[in-house]
Amino acid sequence: MEIRIKEPFTKDKIKGLKAGDSVLLTGTIYTARDAAHKRITEMLERGENLPFALEDSAIYYVGPTPAKEGMPIGSAGPTTSYRMDAYAPALLDLGQTVMIGKGQRNEDVKAAVLKNGAVYLAAIGGAAALMAKSIKSSEVIAFDDLGAEAVRKLYVEDFPVTVILDAHGGDLYKQGRENYLKSINK
């Protein structure tokens, strides 16, 4: 069953999600990779305003390719998320509710997800062109000098993701391994 969620991505809307759920997101999401996360963290340390509000925000770890003519964005596949692990707990503490990427997260991120009632969602690795079809608009809003790693404001419709870490401590990677081991030890 696919679950549709429209922005704002509030804790109330995401609290029912469980690890393994398929979700279709509609609304504004922001892009930021490691270089942008570093700058955002530095801005916070200096007390500066961020390029977007963290409260109830969704950040997609992606560095899209240039858009082809008539398209809002090029290929937009997820970046490996562990690169943002040093920054994610602080952003979750400040109200970010959704992280989107690929791959496992460290224990600090898992604890911050649970503490803050947030979620970590996986986008489909290897399907960057498919992911881009759900992106209806793209606008660079900060750090243009970072090129593909600039912060973008995206509007997405039915953006396909899977819940990896849920707000209740569920971890699809852990559950998947456990289920596999049970199946081969029957």
Side-chain angles (χ1 to χ4, degrees):
M1 178 176 90
E2 291 180 326
I3 300 166
R4 286 185 152 75
I5 297 181
K6 293 185 178 182
E7 75 168 305
F9 304 113
T10 62
K11 290 179 183 182
D12 192 50
K13 286 184 182 178
I14 63 173
K15 71 181 177 186
L17 297 177
K18 300 289 183 214
D21 285 347
S22 294
V23 179
L24 297 172
L25 297 177
T26 295
T28 299
I29 63 175
Y30 300 93
T31 70
R33 287 181 43 161
D34 35 330
H37 272 75
K38 184 176 188 289
R39 287 192 185 176
I40 287 169
T41 301
E42 291 167 348
M43 291 176 76
L44 287 168
E45 290 169 355
R46 292 189 301 264
E48 297 173 6
N49 290 330
L50 298 182
F52 61 92
L54 284 174
E55 190 72 27
D56 300 329
S57 68
I59 299 178
Y60 182 27
Y61 307 148
V62 63
T65 63
K68 292 181 181 177
E69 191 171 327
M71 302 298 293
I73 200 164
S75 293
T79 297
T80 304
S81 299
Y82 74 80
R83 296 178 185 152
M84 278 53 73
D85 282 0
Y87 311 106
L91 299 182
L92 293 171
D93 287 347
L94 293 171
Q96 179 187 351
T97 52
V98 177
M99 299 173 291
I100 306 166
K102 68 177 180 182
Q104 295 187 22
R105 307 307 297 269
N106 71 25
E107 293 303 318
D108 291 339
V109 173
K110 290 177 185 181
V113 166
L114 186 59
K115 171 186 166 190
N116 290 290
V119 292
Y120 169 53
L121 309 173
I124 304 165
L130 174 65
M131 300 301 294
K133 288 182 179 183
S134 294
I135 300 170
K136 303 306 179 186
S137 67
S138 172
E139 169 191 5
V140 173
I141 61 170
F143 317 139
D144 189 41
D145 62 304
L146 293 178
E149 292 196 39
V151 173
R152 288 173 171 74
K153 178 180 178 181
L154 306 179
Y155 184 79
V156 300
E157 290 179 1
D158 291 337
F159 189 76
V161 289
T162 301
V163 180
I164 301 299
L165 301 175
D166 66 37
H168 311 285
D171 180 342
L172 184 60
Y173 292 137
K174 182 180 176 186
Q175 291 167 223
R177 276 191 297 276
E178 290 170 356
N179 290 342
Y180 171 72
L181 291 173
K182 285 179 193 173
S183 74
I184 63 171
N185 290 323
K186 286 185 175 183

